[in-house]
Amino acid sequence: MGQKINPLGFRLGITQDHHSLWFAQPKKYFEGLQEDQKIRDCIKNYIQKNMKISSAVEGIALIVIQKRIDLIQVIIFMGFLKFLLEYITIKRIAKPYGNPNLFAEFIAKQLKNRVSFRKAMKKAIELTEQAMKKDSSTNRKEGRVPLQTIQAKIDYCSYTVQTIHGVLGIKIWIFLDEE
């Protein structure tokens, strides 16, 4: 069995940036990591409870946490802004249909509603194509995605969903061709 590496971690520092910006002493590093995960889980749970998501791109795309000595800044990147939280910065994504996290959530929602995976994938691709037709600057190219090239800007998401048949894993790679 081959060793798999996360595509984002493989490109970290070359084409990808960290989602958390802070420094800690080696003995305190684990506590800081746990604190980041608790912040992310709390925000995701709050949004799931208090916001009804109706389309594919209304969820959270990315949560960036910046810690300073006396301040913790949380920046949430979303497809469309529908709510505001005090002390938290929320930014809208310029092209929400090009984010793998939002599509993974959309496909997971479809699978939880007992839609076949082929229909869920077809609907996600149709949403992408509709968005690309509206945005004339985006061109869709079919072909191979250069996963082994470190300079290739790839956005990746790994998402698990609990269905009545068991746990399913969803992996989405989006090659961001910036020519």
Side-chain angles (χ1 to χ4, degrees), residues 64-68 71-75 87 89:
V64 176
I65 300 173
Q66 299 175 350
K67 294 182 187 176
R68 297 189 185 123
L71 178 70
I72 296 177
Q73 183 180 10
V74 179
I75 304 170
Y87 306 114
T89 306

Side-chain angles (χ1 to χ4, degrees), residues 113-168:
N113 292 336
R114 301 188 68 183
V115 174
S116 71
F117 74 93
R118 286 189 173 98
K119 287 183 183 178
M121 291 298 298
K122 187 175 181 181
K123 184 154 183 156
I125 291 170
E126 287 173 2
L127 282 172
T128 307
E129 289 175 350
Q130 288 173 2
M132 287 183 182
K133 287 179 185 176
K134 291 178 185 176
D135 184 16
S136 61
S137 66
T138 306
N139 296 323
R140 181 174 182 247
K141 295 178 185 177
E142 291 189 15
R144 303 190 85 186
V145 177
L147 296 177
Q148 298 298 321
T149 307
I150 297 176
Q151 274 76 26
K153 180 106 168 103
I154 293 175
D155 209 352
Y156 168 79
C157 175
S158 178
Y159 198 87
T160 57
V161 59
Q162 179 70 39
T163 64
I164 60 168
H165 302 293
V167 178
L168 296 175

Side-chain angles (χ1 to χ4, degrees), residues 12-23:
L12 201 59
I14 298 168
T15 59
Q16 301 290 331
D17 292 328
H18 291 275
H19 299 306
S20 294
L21 300 172
W22 50 271
F23 295 98

Side-chain angles (χ1 to χ4, degrees), residues 30-44:
F30 185 68
E31 294 172 10
L33 227 73
Q34 285 183 332
E35 186 178 52
D36 280 4
Q37 192 61 40
K38 287 178 184 177
I39 291 170
R40 285 188 172 94
D41 290 341
C42 180
I43 291 170
K44 287 179 183 178

